Amino acid sequence: MEIFGMKVEKGQKTFGNVKVGELANFTDISIPVLVARGSHDGPTLWMTGAVHGDELNGLWGMRKFFWDLDTSKLHGNVVLTPLLNTMAFVDRNKISQVDYLDLDQQFPGNPGGSYTERIAHIVFGEMKKWANYVIDFHTMGHVFSATPYTVSKIVPGAKAETVQAAFKLARAFGVYPNCHLNLAKAGGELPGTTSGSIDILCMQNNIPCFMAEMGAGGRWDEKVIQTILAGIQNAMTHIGLLTGEFKKPDKQLIITGRRFLRSNRGGLVRMAVEPGQFVKKGEKLASIYDFWEEREQLVADKNMFMIATRFEPVVSTGDRMGFVGYEWQEMDWDTD
Ligand SMILES: [Zn+2]
């Protein structure tokens, strides 16, 4: 197996920095790549992270997973690109200041394009060649607190069996909330209908892929990192890369409609709800204050499940106060 020019023998791990460009000051821009080839044949799972540079929990989860992994027990291969957007990472930002493009809107990339388009091209070329499954680690933005959840998409043009395999893999990961979105219907949300993302391109190329949205950006969250480690183990067992115990989740929430809640007024926000909480229509979500009065009270206009709530207290008109599911079904794991 030779990937990004790195040779990997059976039962071995290899790793290195892969050059993706150069800066004006003559230094290389590179991304870390880690590959584990099992002692036994099997499929290749590719896990990728920090396509948005400030989304950090996946990085540490993948690093720990890789060094704990015993390749003598691995049936297949694991490829990790834990830090795709290195320049945005340096900026502690979602996008880089090299060309201000969102890397997760540039796939499959362009070899003659700008910096970010070229990274997408280099990575997706290898991904298409090797990956049988992809898990794409994200977080919510750094202004939020968020409960870990997955996102699998019904992508127009993708095969039904690919859509089903991605949905099952996402559920096997084992967290309670799982968004399953029909892109033909999803409108007005972010990222929702965004084209050029890793998961959409994978799905269009018959590679089941889901997004693991693991907590919030700009910080480590140890509980979330533990969720990531358990989820990777579960997903790998589900697709046969590992044998052993598969920890079936109990009930799962399948969210088919979701949206952001936004403020109308500016000021300082005090949230009345927490991520992971169900809220009934009419219940208070948040208040926005100045130094004299309560300027706005946000109330749930329907029953909601809080995926994320605002962590950072400073808001202007139209800022995002929360991210909620408003259409869902609670299901047993077995009865999909
Ligand atoms: Zn992201």
Side-chain angles (χ1 to χ4, degrees), residues 50-55 94 102 104 136-140 211 213:
V51 67
H52 298 132
D54 60 347
E55 302 179 352
K94 182 175 177 177
D102 182 342
D104 208 26
D136 179 20
F137 285 96
H138 287 253
T139 70
M140 293 288 296
M211 287 163 60
E213 292 276 358

Side-chain angles (χ1 to χ4, degrees), residues 183-327:
L183 292 196
K185 289 187 200 156
E189 65 156 54
L190 185 84
T193 54
T194 302
S195 60
S197 64
I198 292 173
D199 61 339
I200 291 176
L201 262 292
C202 283
M203 298 294 284
Q204 288 169 341
N205 284 275
N206 309 320
I207 306 165
C209 174
F210 74 91
M211 287 163 60
E213 292 276 358
M214 295 291 115
R219 65 198 102 140
W220 296 140
D221 182 329
E222 290 306 323
K223 249 175 92 180
V224 173
I225 290 169
Q226 291 308 316
T227 301
I228 291 169
L229 290 168
I232 292 173
Q233 186 88 17
N234 252 357
M236 288 177 65
T237 306
H238 171 69
I239 53 181
L241 277 157
L242 295 174
T243 52
E245 207 183 320
F246 171 61
K247 292 188 199 74
K248 278 186 189 171
D250 296 332
K251 302 271 183 195
Q252 286 186 315
L253 201 66
I254 310 303
I255 297 168
T256 47
R258 57 182 199 169
R259 66 179 160 93
F260 282 106
L261 303 171
R262 291 180 189 275
S263 62
N264 297 307
R265 305 290 301 274
L268 300 161
V269 63
R270 302 284 290 177
M271 297 301 302
V273 289
E274 291 191 346
Q277 187 183 333
F278 287 96
V279 179
K280 286 211 157 58
K281 182 180 173 177
E283 282 179 12
K284 180 175 151 180
L285 297 167
S287 290
I288 298 170
Y289 296 92
D290 61 21
F291 292 100
W292 298 272
E293 59 184 6
E294 185 182 66
R295 292 164 71 89
E296 182 181 10
Q297 197 174 100
L298 255 86
V299 171
D301 60 354
K302 50 177 86 176
N303 293 344
M304 298 175 170
F305 175 78
M306 306 304 298
I307 297 169
T309 58
R310 194 170 184 95
F311 168 78
E312 196 261 320
V314 184
V315 294
S316 299
T317 297
D319 267 339
R320 294 173 296 168
M321 312 282 286
F323 191 45
V324 302
Y326 59 84
E327 190 181 276

Side-chain angles (χ1 to χ4, degrees), residues 38 46-47 70 95 112 135-136 227 287 302 333:
W46 190 306
M47 292 188 280
D70 179 355
I95 61 171
I135 302 177
D136 179 20
T227 301
S287 290
K302 50 177 86 176
W333 194 81

